[in-house]
Amino acid sequence: EGVGPQEYTLIKLKVLEPYPQKFSKLKGKNIYLVAATLRPETMFGQTNIWVRPDMKYIAHELENGDVFVCTRRSARNMAYQGFTKEDGKINVLVELVGQDIMGVALSGPLTSYKKIYTLPMLTIKEDKGTGVVTSVPSDAPDDFAALRDLKNKQPFREKYGIKDEMVLPYDPVPIIDVPEFGNLCAVTVCEQMKIQSQNDRDQLQEAKEKVYLKGFYEGIMTKKMVDAGEAVIYFEPEKQVMSRSAD
Ligand code: A2H
């Protein structure tokens, strides 16, 4: 782990109408789930967005009136990076858990699938990024393993209220060709290593190290999305100071 802040790109996923019940009082506002990624150049390959069913999220208002859905922790960081009306303050509009927004339809920048859905991932960490994770199963082993779990296990879909059409039509999209692994890196490595599910944590860590190509023409893609208003840059401090009590 390095010192100093980690830079992520926050991908803005627009919530499509009709809004879920939790967002009924946000009618007329632009609502975005925001996903922190290190690989913005892979967004063409998004097949879904991950949220953790039992984790707490908030919908908070930005300076321009738009609404971001993310963890309270990341919203506080945003408030110190000029995202909100008043520096250091967040305006919480709705409090929710991941299950409240499960199966919600979204549209994302550069995504080949015009409509994608929020699906459950049980391994999302509370202390990293925004708690919302974009899923690129072609290039991220975690995403491939979790999507395959949902595709293969009907009871798992049912448990979280996920309909077949939110999962079954969505296959990994070839985007980046890596000589050793072909154009579906994560799929190749998960199959070679015989990874069974998203719970094979040690093997998935090893798989990630094998396919992870940090900084791959990410600069150009990031700039394009930021210029188009489809993504924003967000920094996460190395150590969180959690002593602040007021929002
Ligand atoms: B990456 P680092 Cl294609 N919990 O985005 C678990 N994982 C999280 C998270 C959270 N709260 N927040 C972000 N992430 C994931 C794309 C991607 C990512 C690809 C390949 C590798 C990769 C699509 N998923 O990450 O600890 C996000 O997944 C490899 C590590 O800061 C984010 O980038 O290094 C990455 O982990 C950030 O992890």
Side-chain angles (χ1 to χ4, degrees), residues 6 8 36-39 42-43 123-125 128-129 131-136 139-140 143 208 212:
Q6 169 69 53
Y8 293 103
T37 183
L38 297 169
R39 301 288 309 276
T42 66
M43 293 304 106
T123 54
I124 292 178
K125 297 189 180 98
K128 182 190 291 190
V132 176
V133 180
T134 167
S135 172
V136 185
D139 289 80
D143 298 343
K208 264 191 277 192
Y212 188 34

mmCIF file with all atom_site columns, all heavy atoms in Angstrom, residues 6 8 36-39 42-43 123-125 128-129 131-136 139-140 143 208 212, ligand 1:
data_model
loop_
_atom_site.group_PDB
_atom_site.id
_atom_site.type_symbol
_atom_site.label_atom_id
_atom_site.label_alt_id
_atom_site.label_comp_id
_atom_site.label_asym_id
_atom_site.label_entity_id
_atom_site.label_seq_id
_atom_site.pdbx_PDB_ins_code
_atom_site.Cartn_x
_atom_site.Cartn_y
_atom_site.Cartn_z
_atom_site.occupancy
_atom_site.B_iso_or_equiv
_atom_site.pdbx_formal_charge
_atom_site.auth_seq_id
_atom_site.auth_comp_id
_atom_site.auth_asym_id
_atom_site.auth_atom_id
_atom_site.pdbx_PDB_model_num
ATOM   1   N  N   . GLN A 1 6   ? -5.410  7.828   -2.611  1.00 0.00 ? 6   GLN A N   1
ATOM   2   C  CA  . GLN A 1 6   ? -5.658  6.971   -3.770  1.00 0.00 ? 6   GLN A CA  1
ATOM   3   C  C   . GLN A 1 6   ? -6.623  7.705   -4.707  1.00 0.00 ? 6   GLN A C   1
ATOM   4   O  O   . GLN A 1 6   ? -7.656  8.177   -4.260  1.00 0.00 ? 6   GLN A O   1
ATOM   5   C  CB  . GLN A 1 6   ? -6.279  5.656   -3.288  1.00 0.00 ? 6   GLN A CB  1
ATOM   6   C  CG  . GLN A 1 6   ? -6.828  4.766   -4.381  1.00 0.00 ? 6   GLN A CG  1
ATOM   7   C  CD  . GLN A 1 6   ? -5.738  4.160   -5.251  1.00 0.00 ? 6   GLN A CD  1
ATOM   8   O  OE1 . GLN A 1 6   ? -4.799  3.538   -4.763  1.00 0.00 ? 6   GLN A OE1 1
ATOM   9   N  NE2 . GLN A 1 6   ? -5.853  4.390   -6.546  1.00 0.00 ? 6   GLN A NE2 1
ATOM   10  N  N   . TYR A 1 8   ? -9.354  7.578   -7.561  1.00 0.00 ? 8   TYR A N   1
ATOM   11  C  CA  . TYR A 1 8   ? -10.295 6.729   -8.292  1.00 0.00 ? 8   TYR A CA  1
ATOM   12  C  C   . TYR A 1 8   ? -11.049 7.574   -9.297  1.00 0.00 ? 8   TYR A C   1
ATOM   13  O  O   . TYR A 1 8   ? -11.143 8.783   -9.153  1.00 0.00 ? 8   TYR A O   1
ATOM   14  C  CB  . TYR A 1 8   ? -11.351 6.147   -7.343  1.00 0.00 ? 8   TYR A CB  1
ATOM   15  C  CG  . TYR A 1 8   ? -10.857 5.162   -6.323  1.00 0.00 ? 8   TYR A CG  1
ATOM   16  C  CD1 . TYR A 1 8   ? -10.683 5.548   -4.991  1.00 0.00 ? 8   TYR A CD1 1
ATOM   17  C  CD2 . TYR A 1 8   ? -10.598 3.841   -6.668  1.00 0.00 ? 8   TYR A CD2 1
ATOM   18  C  CE1 . TYR A 1 8   ? -10.244 4.640   -4.035  1.00 0.00 ? 8   TYR A CE1 1
ATOM   19  C  CE2 . TYR A 1 8   ? -10.161 2.929   -5.708  1.00 0.00 ? 8   TYR A CE2 1
ATOM   20  C  CZ  . TYR A 1 8   ? -9.990  3.342   -4.399  1.00 0.00 ? 8   TYR A CZ  1
ATOM   21  O  OH  . TYR A 1 8   ? -9.564  2.442   -3.463  1.00 0.00 ? 8   TYR A OH  1
ATOM   22  N  N   . ALA A 1 36  ? -16.609 3.576   -7.712  1.00 0.00 ? 36  ALA A N   1
ATOM   23  C  CA  . ALA A 1 36  ? -15.184 3.917   -7.742  1.00 0.00 ? 36  ALA A CA  1
ATOM   24  C  C   . ALA A 1 36  ? -14.410 2.825   -8.471  1.00 0.00 ? 36  ALA A C   1
ATOM   25  O  O   . ALA A 1 36  ? -14.481 1.657   -8.109  1.00 0.00 ? 36  ALA A O   1
ATOM   26  C  CB  . ALA A 1 36  ? -14.663 4.056   -6.310  1.00 0.00 ? 36  ALA A CB  1
ATOM   27  N  N   . THR A 1 37  ? -13.684 3.223   -9.505  1.00 0.00 ? 37  THR A N   1
ATOM   28  C  CA  . THR A 1 37  ? -12.905 2.223   -10.245 1.00 0.00 ? 37  THR A CA  1
ATOM   29  C  C   . THR A 1 37  ? -11.480 2.688   -10.513 1.00 0.00 ? 37  THR A C   1
ATOM   30  O  O   . THR A 1 37  ? -11.217 3.887   -10.603 1.00 0.00 ? 37  THR A O   1
ATOM   31  C  CB  . THR A 1 37  ? -13.591 1.862   -11.584 1.00 0.00 ? 37  THR A CB  1
ATOM   32  O  OG1 . THR A 1 37  ? -12.822 0.838   -12.227 1.00 0.00 ? 37  THR A OG1 1
ATOM   33  C  CG2 . THR A 1 37  ? -13.708 3.052   -12.515 1.00 0.00 ? 37  THR A CG2 1
ATOM   34  N  N   . LEU A 1 38  ? -10.573 1.727   -10.631 1.00 0.00 ? 38  LEU A N   1
ATOM   35  C  CA  . LEU A 1 38  ? -9.191  1.975   -11.044 1.00 0.00 ? 38  LEU A CA  1
ATOM   36  C  C   . LEU A 1 38  ? -9.040  1.723   -12.542 1.00 0.00 ? 38  LEU A C   1
ATOM   37  O  O   . LEU A 1 38  ? -7.982  1.941   -13.106 1.00 0.00 ? 38  LEU A O   1
ATOM   38  C  CB  . LEU A 1 38  ? -8.241  1.016   -10.296 1.00 0.00 ? 38  LEU A CB  1
ATOM   39  C  CG  . LEU A 1 38  ? -8.197  1.160   -8.786  1.00 0.00 ? 38  LEU A CG  1
ATOM   40  C  CD1 . LEU A 1 38  ? -7.433  -0.007  -8.180  1.00 0.00 ? 38  LEU A CD1 1
ATOM   41  C  CD2 . LEU A 1 38  ? -7.541  2.473   -8.398  1.00 0.00 ? 38  LEU A CD2 1
ATOM   42  N  N   . ARG A 1 39  ? -10.092 1.226   -13.181 1.00 0.00 ? 39  ARG A N   1
ATOM   43  C  CA  . ARG A 1 39  ? -9.986  0.816   -14.588 1.00 0.00 ? 39  ARG A CA  1
ATOM   44  C  C   . ARG A 1 39  ? -11.082 1.442   -15.459 1.00 0.00 ? 39  ARG A C   1
ATOM   45  O  O   . ARG A 1 39  ? -11.872 0.726   -16.069 1.00 0.00 ? 39  ARG A O   1
ATOM   46  C  CB  . ARG A 1 39  ? -10.078 -0.719  -14.668 1.00 0.00 ? 39  ARG A CB  1
ATOM   47  C  CG  . ARG A 1 39  ? -9.007  -1.489  -13.896 1.00 0.00 ? 39  ARG A CG  1
ATOM   48  C  CD  . ARG A 1 39  ? -7.634  -1.416  -14.536 1.00 0.00 ? 39  ARG A CD  1
ATOM   49  N  NE  . ARG A 1 39  ? -7.658  -1.757  -15.954 1.00 0.00 ? 39  ARG A NE  1
ATOM   50  C  CZ  . ARG A 1 39  ? -7.618  -3.005  -16.438 1.00 0.00 ? 39  ARG A CZ  1
ATOM   51  N  NH1 . ARG A 1 39  ? -7.534  -4.038  -15.645 1.00 0.00 ? 39  ARG A NH1 1
ATOM   52  N  NH2 . ARG A 1 39  ? -7.630  -3.218  -17.738 1.00 0.00 ? 39  ARG A NH2 1
ATOM   53  N  N   . THR A 1 42  ? -12.234 0.308   -19.017 1.00 0.00 ? 42  THR A N   1
ATOM   54  C  CA  . THR A 1 42  ? -12.969 -0.938  -19.281 1.00 0.00 ? 42  THR A CA  1
ATOM   55  C  C   . THR A 1 42  ? -14.497 -0.767  -19.264 1.00 0.00 ? 42  THR A C   1
ATOM   56  O  O   . THR A 1 42  ? -15.221 -1.767  -19.338 1.00 0.00 ? 42  THR A O   1
ATOM   57  C  CB  . THR A 1 42  ? -12.614 -2.017  -18.228 1.00 0.00 ? 42  THR A CB  1
ATOM   58  O  OG1 . THR A 1 42  ? -13.098 -1.594  -16.945 1.00 0.00 ? 42  THR A OG1 1
ATOM   59  C  CG2 . THR A 1 42  ? -11.125 -2.283  -18.150 1.00 0.00 ? 42  THR A CG2 1
ATOM   60  N  N   . MET A 1 43  ? -14.972 0.457   -19.184 1.00 0.00 ? 43  MET A N   1
ATOM   61  C  CA  . MET A 1 43  ? -16.409 0.663   -18.950 1.00 0.00 ? 43  MET A CA  1
ATOM   62  C  C   . MET A 1 43  ? -17.312 0.131   -20.064 1.00 0.00 ? 43  MET A C   1
ATOM   63  O  O   . MET A 1 43  ? -18.481 -0.159  -19.845 1.00 0.00 ? 43  MET A O   1
ATOM   64  C  CB  . MET A 1 43  ? -16.710 2.149   -18.684 1.00 0.00 ? 43  MET A CB  1
ATOM   65  C  CG  . MET A 1 43  ? -16.133 2.659   -17.388 1.00 0.00 ? 43  MET A CG  1
ATOM   66  S  SD  . MET A 1 43  ? -16.689 1.668   -15.978 1.00 0.00 ? 43  MET A SD  1
ATOM   67  C  CE  . MET A 1 43  ? -15.229 0.704   -15.559 1.00 0.00 ? 43  MET A CE  1
ATOM   68  N  N   . THR A 1 123 ? -19.139 -9.441  -1.008  1.00 0.00 ? 123 THR A N   1
ATOM   69  C  CA  . THR A 1 123 ? -17.776 -9.176  -0.521  1.00 0.00 ? 123 THR A CA  1
ATOM   70  C  C   . THR A 1 123 ? -17.376 -7.705  -0.611  1.00 0.00 ? 123 THR A C   1
ATOM   71  O  O   . THR A 1 123 ? -16.223 -7.367  -0.385  1.00 0.00 ? 123 THR A O   1
ATOM   72  C  CB  . THR A 1 123 ? -16.765 -10.018 -1.335  1.00 0.00 ? 123 THR A CB  1
ATOM   73  O  OG1 . THR A 1 123 ? -16.986 -9.749  -2.730  1.00 0.00 ? 123 THR A OG1 1
ATOM   74  C  CG2 . THR A 1 123 ? -16.964 -11.500 -1.083  1.00 0.00 ? 123 THR A CG2 1
ATOM   75  N  N   . ILE A 1 124 ? -18.328 -6.820  -0.920  1.00 0.00 ? 124 ILE A N   1
ATOM   76  C  CA  . ILE A 1 124 ? -17.994 -5.388  -0.996  1.00 0.00 ? 124 ILE A CA  1
ATOM   77  C  C   . ILE A 1 124 ? -17.559 -4.877  0.377   1.00 0.00 ? 124 ILE A C   1
ATOM   78  O  O   . ILE A 1 124 ? -18.197 -5.166  1.385   1.00 0.00 ? 124 ILE A O   1
ATOM   79  C  CB  . ILE A 1 124 ? -19.204 -4.575  -1.517  1.00 0.00 ? 124 ILE A CB  1
ATOM   80  C  CG1 . ILE A 1 124 ? -19.473 -4.928  -2.980  1.00 0.00 ? 124 ILE A CG1 1
ATOM   81  C  CG2 . ILE A 1 124 ? -18.974 -3.071  -1.353  1.00 0.00 ? 124 ILE A CG2 1
ATOM   82  C  CD1 . ILE A 1 124 ? -20.683 -4.200  -3.577  1.00 0.00 ? 124 ILE A CD1 1
ATOM   83  N  N   . LYS A 1 125 ? -16.463 -4.108  0.368   1.00 0.00 ? 125 LYS A N   1
ATOM   84  C  CA  . LYS A 1 125 ? -15.936 -3.568  1.631   1.00 0.00 ? 125 LYS A CA  1
ATOM   85  C  C   . LYS A 1 125 ? -16.538 -2.190  1.906   1.00 0.00 ? 125 LYS A C   1
ATOM   86  O  O   . LYS A 1 125 ? -16.755 -1.406  0.994   1.00 0.00 ? 125 LYS A O   1
ATOM   87  C  CB  . LYS A 1 125 ? -14.413 -3.438  1.536   1.00 0.00 ? 125 LYS A CB  1
ATOM   88  C  CG  . LYS A 1 125 ? -13.720 -4.763  1.353   1.00 0.00 ? 125 LYS A CG  1
ATOM   89  C  CD  . LYS A 1 125 ? -12.198 -4.596  1.493   1.00 0.00 ? 125 LYS A CD  1
ATOM   90  C  CE  . LYS A 1 125 ? -11.476 -5.909  1.312   1.00 0.00 ? 125 LYS A CE  1
ATOM   91  N  NZ  . LYS A 1 125 ? -10.930 -6.085  -0.042  1.00 0.00 ? 125 LYS A NZ  1
ATOM   92  N  N   . LYS A 1 128 ? -13.839 1.129   1.458   1.00 0.00 ? 128 LYS A N   1
ATOM   93  C  CA  . LYS A 1 128 ? -13.143 1.400   0.201   1.00 0.00 ? 128 LYS A CA  1
ATOM   94  C  C   . LYS A 1 128 ? -14.106 2.020   -0.812  1.00 0.00 ? 128 LYS A C   1
ATOM   95  O  O   . LYS A 1 128 ? -15.248 1.577   -0.924  1.00 0.00 ? 128 LYS A O   1
ATOM   96  C  CB  . LYS A 1 128 ? -12.606 0.083   -0.356  1.00 0.00 ? 128 LYS A CB  1
ATOM   97  C  CG  . LYS A 1 128 ? -11.816 0.260   -1.637  1.00 0.00 ? 128 LYS A CG  1
ATOM   98  C  CD  . LYS A 1 128 ? -11.502 -1.040  -2.310  1.00 0.00 ? 128 LYS A CD  1
ATOM   99  C  CE  . LYS A 1 128 ? -10.494 -1.855  -1.521  1.00 0.00 ? 128 LYS A CE  1
ATOM   100 N  NZ  . LYS A 1 128 ? -10.034 -2.991  -2.336  1.00 0.00 ? 128 LYS A NZ  1
ATOM   101 N  N   . GLY A 1 129 ? -13.637 3.028   -1.504  1.00 0.00 ? 129 GLY A N   1
ATOM   102 C  CA  . GLY A 1 129 ? -14.451 3.630   -2.561  1.00 0.00 ? 129 GLY A CA  1
ATOM   103 C  C   . GLY A 1 129 ? -15.801 4.098   -2.050  1.00 0.00 ? 129 GLY A C   1
ATOM   104 O  O   . GLY A 1 129 ? -15.906 4.664   -0.961  1.00 0.00 ? 129 GLY A O   1
ATOM   105 N  N   . GLY A 1 131 ? -18.624 1.962   -2.065  1.00 0.00 ? 131 GLY A N   1
ATOM   106 C  CA  . GLY A 1 131 ? -19.487 0.832   -1.722  1.00 0.00 ? 131 GLY A CA  1
ATOM   107 C  C   . GLY A 1 131 ? -20.346 0.378   -2.897  1.00 0.00 ? 131 GLY A C   1
ATOM   108 O  O   . GLY A 1 131 ? -21.075 -0.602  -2.807  1.00 0.00 ? 131 GLY A O   1
ATOM   109 N  N   . VAL A 1 132 ? -20.269 1.120   -3.994  1.00 0.00 ? 132 VAL A N   1
ATOM   110 C  CA  . VAL A 1 132 ? -20.923 0.746   -5.254  1.00 0.00 ? 132 VAL A CA  1
ATOM   111 C  C   . VAL A 1 132 ? -19.775 0.336   -6.183  1.00 0.00 ? 132 VAL A C   1
ATOM   112 O  O   . VAL A 1 132 ? -18.778 1.039   -6.274  1.00 0.00 ? 132 VAL A O   1
ATOM   113 C  CB  . VAL A 1 132 ? -21.672 1.946   -5.864  1.00 0.00 ? 132 VAL A CB  1
ATOM   114 C  CG1 . VAL A 1 132 ? -22.263 1.590   -7.227  1.00 0.00 ? 132 VAL A CG1 1
ATOM   115 C  CG2 . VAL A 1 132 ? -22.762 2.445   -4.910  1.00 0.00 ? 132 VAL A CG2 1
ATOM   116 N  N   . VAL A 1 133 ? -19.893 -0.819  -6.827  1.00 0.00 ? 133 VAL A N   1
ATOM   117 C  CA  . VAL A 1 133 ? -18.789 -1.322  -7.646  1.00 0.00 ? 133 VAL A CA  1
ATOM   118 C  C   . VAL A 1 133 ? -19.305 -1.629  -9.050  1.00 0.00 ? 133 VAL A C   1
ATOM   119 O  O   . VAL A 1 133 ? -20.326 -2.305  -9.206  1.00 0.00 ? 133 VAL A O   1
ATOM   120 C  CB  . VAL A 1 133 ? -18.180 -2.598  -7.025  1.00 0.00 ? 133 VAL A CB  1
ATOM   121 C  CG1 . VAL A 1 133 ? -17.030 -3.130  -7.882  1.00 0.00 ? 133 VAL A CG1 1
ATOM   122 C  CG2 . VAL A 1 133 ? -17.686 -2.337  -5.596  1.00 0.00 ? 133 VAL A CG2 1
ATOM   123 N  N   . THR A 1 134 ? -18.621 -1.122  -10.064 1.00 0.00 ? 134 THR A N   1
ATOM   124 C  CA  . THR A 1 134 ? -19.010 -1.463  -11.423 1.00 0.00 ? 134 THR A CA  1
ATOM   125 C  C   . THR A 1 134 ? -18.453 -2.837  -11.779 1.00 0.00 ? 134 THR A C   1
ATOM   126 O  O   . THR A 1 134 ? -17.359 -3.195  -11.366 1.00 0.00 ? 134 THR A O   1
ATOM   127 C  CB  . THR A 1 134 ? -18.581 -0.383  -12.445 1.00 0.00 ? 134 THR A CB  1
ATOM   128 O  OG1 . THR A 1 134 ? -18.719 -0.934  -13.756 1.00 0.00 ? 134 THR A OG1 1
ATOM   129 C  CG2 . THR A 1 134 ? -17.165 0.072   -12.243 1.00 0.00 ? 134 THR A CG2 1
ATOM   130 N  N   . SER A 1 135 ? -19.239 -3.606  -12.519 1.00 0.00 ? 135 SER A N   1
ATOM   131 C  CA  . SER A 1 135 ? -18.883 -4.995  -12.804 1.00 0.00 ? 135 SER A CA  1
ATOM   132 C  C   . SER A 1 135 ? -18.426 -5.157  -14.250 1.00 0.00 ? 135 SER A C   1
ATOM   133 O  O   . SER A 1 135 ? -19.174 -4.869  -15.184 1.00 0.00 ? 135 SER A O   1
ATOM   134 C  CB  . SER A 1 135 ? -20.103 -5.879  -12.560 1.00 0.00 ? 135 SER A CB  1
ATOM   135 O  OG  . SER A 1 135 ? -19.863 -7.198  -12.993 1.00 0.00 ? 135 SER A OG  1
ATOM   136 N  N   . VAL A 1 136 ? -17.173 -5.583  -14.398 1.00 0.00 ? 136 VAL A N   1
ATOM   137 C  CA  . VAL A 1 136 ? -16.597 -5.818  -15.726 1.00 0.00 ? 136 VAL A CA  1
ATOM   138 C  C   . VAL A 1 136 ? -16.045 -7.247  -15.752 1.00 0.00 ? 136 VAL A C   1
ATOM   139 O  O   . VAL A 1 136 ? -14.849 -7.466  -15.528 1.00 0.00 ? 136 VAL A O   1
ATOM   140 C  CB  . VAL A 1 136 ? -15.489 -4.778  -16.040 1.00 0.00 ? 136 VAL A CB  1
ATOM   141 C  CG1 . VAL A 1 136 ? -14.976 -4.957  -17.464 1.00 0.00 ? 136 VAL A CG1 1
ATOM   142 C  CG2 . VAL A 1 136 ? -15.992 -3.353  -15.838 1.00 0.00 ? 136 VAL A CG2 1
ATOM   143 N  N   . ASP A 1 139 ? -12.685 -8.508  -17.421 1.00 0.00 ? 139 ASP A N   1
ATOM   144 C  CA  . ASP A 1 139 ? -11.356 -8.128  -16.939 1.00 0.00 ? 139 ASP A CA  1
ATOM   145 C  C   . ASP A 1 139 ? -11.159 -8.168  -15.430 1.00 0.00 ? 139 ASP A C   1
ATOM   146 O  O   . ASP A 1 139 ? -10.040 -7.999  -14.970 1.00 0.00 ? 139 ASP A O   1
ATOM   147 C  CB  . ASP A 1 139 ? -11.021 -6.723  -17.473 1.00 0.00 ? 139 ASP A CB  1
ATOM   148 C  CG  . ASP A 1 139 ? -10.750 -6.754  -18.969 1.00 0.00 ? 139 ASP A CG  1
ATOM   149 O  OD1 . ASP A 1 139 ? -11.729 -6.779  -19.743 1.00 0.00 ? 139 ASP A OD1 1
ATOM   150 O  OD2 . ASP A 1 139 ? -9.577  -6.817  -19.347 1.00 0.00 ? 139 ASP A OD2 1
ATOM   151 N  N   . ALA A 1 140 ? -12.219 -8.348  -14.661 1.00 0.00 ? 140 ALA A N   1
ATOM   152 C  CA  . ALA A 1 140 ? -12.096 -8.405  -13.200 1.00 0.00 ? 140 ALA A CA  1
ATOM   153 C  C   . ALA A 1 140 ? -12.550 -9.783  -12.698 1.00 0.00 ? 140 ALA A C   1
ATOM   154 O  O   . ALA A 1 140 ? -13.733 -10.116 -12.797 1.00 0.00 ? 140 ALA A O   1
ATOM   155 C  CB  . ALA A 1 140 ? -12.922 -7.300  -12.562 1.00 0.00 ? 140 ALA A CB  1
ATOM   156 N  N   . ASP A 1 143 ? -15.575 -9.907  -10.408 1.00 0.00 ? 143 ASP A N   1
ATOM   157 C  CA  . ASP A 1 143 ? -16.847 -9.640  -11.087 1.00 0.00 ? 143 ASP A CA  1
ATOM   158 C  C   . ASP A 1 143 ? -17.300 -10.876 -11.855 1.00 0.00 ? 143 ASP A C   1
ATOM   159 O  O   . ASP A 1 143 ? -18.486 -11.231 -11.824 1.00 0.00 ? 143 ASP A O   1
ATOM   160 C  CB  . ASP A 1 143 ? -16.703 -8.452  -12.053 1.00 0.00 ? 143 ASP A CB  1
ATOM   161 C  CG  . ASP A 1 143 ? -16.328 -7.161  -11.339 1.00 0.00 ? 143 ASP A CG  1
ATOM   162 O  OD1 . ASP A 1 143 ? -16.483 -7.097  -10.104 1.00 0.00 ? 143 ASP A OD1 1
ATOM   163 O  OD2 . ASP A 1 143 ? -15.872 -6.215  -12.008 1.00 0.00 ? 143 ASP A OD2 1
ATOM   164 N  N   . LYS A 1 208 ? -6.443  -11.910 -9.593  1.00 0.00 ? 208 LYS A N   1
ATOM   165 C  CA  . LYS A 1 208 ? -6.393  -10.463 -9.807  1.00 0.00 ? 208 LYS A CA  1
ATOM   166 C  C   . LYS A 1 208 ? -4.976  -9.999  -10.106 1.00 0.00 ? 208 LYS A C   1
ATOM   167 O  O   . LYS A 1 208 ? -4.737  -9.203  -10.993 1.00 0.00 ? 208 LYS A O   1
ATOM   168 C  CB  . LYS A 1 208 ? -6.891  -9.735  -8.549  1.00 0.00 ? 208 LYS A CB  1
ATOM   169 C  CG  . LYS A 1 208 ? -8.339  -9.342  -8.609  1.00 0.00 ? 208 LYS A CG  1
ATOM   170 C  CD  . LYS A 1 208 ? -8.714  -8.398  -7.489  1.00 0.00 ? 208 LYS A CD  1
ATOM   171 C  CE  . LYS A 1 208 ? -9.028  -9.134  -6.228  1.00 0.00 ? 208 LYS A CE  1
ATOM   172 N  NZ  . LYS A 1 208 ? -9.653  -8.287  -5.198  1.00 0.00 ? 208 LYS A NZ  1
ATOM   173 N  N   . TYR A 1 212 ? -4.133  -8.025  -13.556 1.00 0.00 ? 212 TYR A N   1
ATOM   174 C  CA  . TYR A 1 212 ? -4.247  -6.599  -13.274 1.00 0.00 ? 212 TYR A CA  1
ATOM   175 C  C   . TYR A 1 212 ? -3.195  -5.779  -14.005 1.00 0.00 ? 212 TYR A C   1
ATOM   176 O  O   . TYR A 1 212 ? -2.007  -5.907  -13.763 1.00 0.00 ? 212 TYR A O   1
ATOM   177 C  CB  . TYR A 1 212 ? -4.141  -6.382  -11.766 1.00 0.00 ? 212 TYR A CB  1
ATOM   178 C  CG  . TYR A 1 212 ? -4.441  -4.966  -11.322 1.00 0.00 ? 212 TYR A CG  1
ATOM   179 C  CD1 . TYR A 1 212 ? -5.384  -4.203  -11.983 1.00 0.00 ? 212 TYR A CD1 1
ATOM   180 C  CD2 . TYR A 1 212 ? -3.770  -4.412  -10.244 1.00 0.00 ? 212 TYR A CD2 1
ATOM   181 C  CE1 . TYR A 1 212 ? -5.656  -2.914  -11.592 1.00 0.00 ? 212 TYR A CE1 1
ATOM   182 C  CE2 . TYR A 1 212 ? -4.044  -3.128  -9.829  1.00 0.00 ? 212 TYR A CE2 1
ATOM   183 C  CZ  . TYR A 1 212 ? -4.985  -2.384  -10.506 1.00 0.00 ? 212 TYR A CZ  1
ATOM   184 O  OH  . TYR A 1 212 ? -5.244  -1.111  -10.111 1.00 0.00 ? 212 TYR A OH  1
HETATM 185 B  B1  . A2H B 2 .   ? -12.092 -2.173  -10.212 1.00 0.00 ? 1   A2H B B1  1
HETATM 186 P  P1  . A2H B 2 .   ? -8.099  -1.097  -4.637  1.00 0.00 ? 1   A2H B P1  1
HETATM 187 CL CL1 . A2H B 2 .   ? -11.968 -4.305  -14.843 1.00 0.00 ? 1   A2H B CL1 1
HETATM 188 N  N1  . A2H B 2 .   ? -15.203 -3.366  -2.177  1.00 0.00 ? 1   A2H B N1  1
HETATM 189 O  O1  . A2H B 2 .   ? -13.048 -1.627  -11.196 1.00 0.00 ? 1   A2H B O1  1
HETATM 190 C  C1  . A2H B 2 .   ? -14.631 -4.255  -3.016  1.00 0.00 ? 1   A2H B C1  1
HETATM 191 N  N2  . A2H B 2 .   ? -14.096 -3.925  -4.214  1.00 0.00 ? 1   A2H B N2  1
HETATM 192 C  C2  . A2H B 2 .   ? -14.158 -2.629  -4.584  1.00 0.00 ? 1   A2H B C2  1
HETATM 193 C  C3  . A2H B 2 .   ? -14.748 -1.640  -3.768  1.00 0.00 ? 1   A2H B C3  1
HETATM 194 C  C4  . A2H B 2 .   ? -15.296 -2.055  -2.508  1.00 0.00 ? 1   A2H B C4  1
HETATM 195 N  N3  . A2H B 2 .   ? -15.870 -1.183  -1.651  1.00 0.00 ? 1   A2H B N3  1
HETATM 196 N  N4  . A2H B 2 .   ? -14.684 -0.449  -4.396  1.00 0.00 ? 1   A2H B N4  1
HETATM 197 C  C5  . A2H B 2 .   ? -14.064 -0.679  -5.575  1.00 0.00 ? 1   A2H B C5  1
HETATM 198 N  N5  . A2H B 2 .   ? -13.742 -1.989  -5.707  1.00 0.00 ? 1   A2H B N5  1
HETATM 199 C  C6  . A2H B 2 .   ? -13.058 -2.697  -6.816  1.00 0.00 ? 1   A2H B C6  1
HETATM 200 C  C7  . A2H B 2 .   ? -13.076 -2.431  -12.424 1.00 0.00 ? 1   A2H B C7  1
HETATM 201 C  C8  . A2H B 2 .   ? -11.858 -3.291  -12.315 1.00 0.00 ? 1   A2H B C8  1
HETATM 202 C  C9  . A2H B 2 .   ? -11.287 -3.187  -11.049 1.00 0.00 ? 1   A2H B C9  1
HETATM 203 C  C10 . A2H B 2 .   ? -11.281 -4.131  -13.281 1.00 0.00 ? 1   A2H B C10 1
HETATM 204 C  C11 . A2H B 2 .   ? -10.148 -4.847  -12.956 1.00 0.00 ? 1   A2H B C11 1
HETATM 205 C  C12 . A2H B 2 .   ? -9.578  -4.737  -11.673 1.00 0.00 ? 1   A2H B C12 1
HETATM 206 C  C13 . A2H B 2 .   ? -10.155 -3.896  -10.715 1.00 0.00 ? 1   A2H B C13 1
HETATM 207 C  C14 . A2H B 2 .   ? -14.350 -3.219  -12.527 1.00 0.00 ? 1   A2H B C14 1
HETATM 208 N  N6  . A2H B 2 .   ? -14.717 -3.889  -11.320 1.00 0.00 ? 1   A2H B N6  1
HETATM 209 O  O2  . A2H B 2 .   ? -9.657  -3.769  -9.449  1.00 0.00 ? 1   A2H B O2  1
HETATM 210 O  O3  . A2H B 2 .   ? -8.099  -1.851  -3.368  1.00 0.00 ? 1   A2H B O3  1
HETATM 211 C  C15 . A2H B 2 .   ? -13.103 -1.948  -8.136  1.00 0.00 ? 1   A2H B C15 1
HETATM 212 O  O4  . A2H B 2 .   ? -12.900 -2.856  -9.211  1.00 0.00 ? 1   A2H B O4  1
HETATM 213 C  C16 . A2H B 2 .   ? -8.537  -4.566  -9.099  1.00 0.00 ? 1   A2H B C16 1
HETATM 214 C  C17 . A2H B 2 .   ? -8.161  -4.342  -7.647  1.00 0.00 ? 1   A2H B C17 1
HETATM 215 O  O5  . A2H B 2 .   ? -8.262  0.386   -4.465  1.00 0.00 ? 1   A2H B O5  1
HETATM 216 C  C18 . A2H B 2 .   ? -11.854 -1.061  -8.150  1.00 0.00 ? 1   A2H B C18 1
HETATM 217 O  O6  . A2H B 2 .   ? -11.401 -1.093  -9.532  1.00 0.00 ? 1   A2H B O6  1
HETATM 218 O  O7  . A2H B 2 .   ? -6.926  -1.492  -5.475  1.00 0.00 ? 1   A2H B O7  1
HETATM 219 C  C19 . A2H B 2 .   ? -10.909 -1.783  -7.214  1.00 0.00 ? 1   A2H B C19 1
HETATM 220 O  O8  . A2H B 2 .   ? -11.683 -2.765  -6.475  1.00 0.00 ? 1   A2H B O8  1
HETATM 221 C  C20 . A2H B 2 .   ? -10.232 -0.861  -6.206  1.00 0.00 ? 1   A2H B C20 1
HETATM 222 O  O9  . A2H B 2 .   ? -9.392  -1.648  -5.406  1.00 0.00 ? 1   A2H B O9  1
#
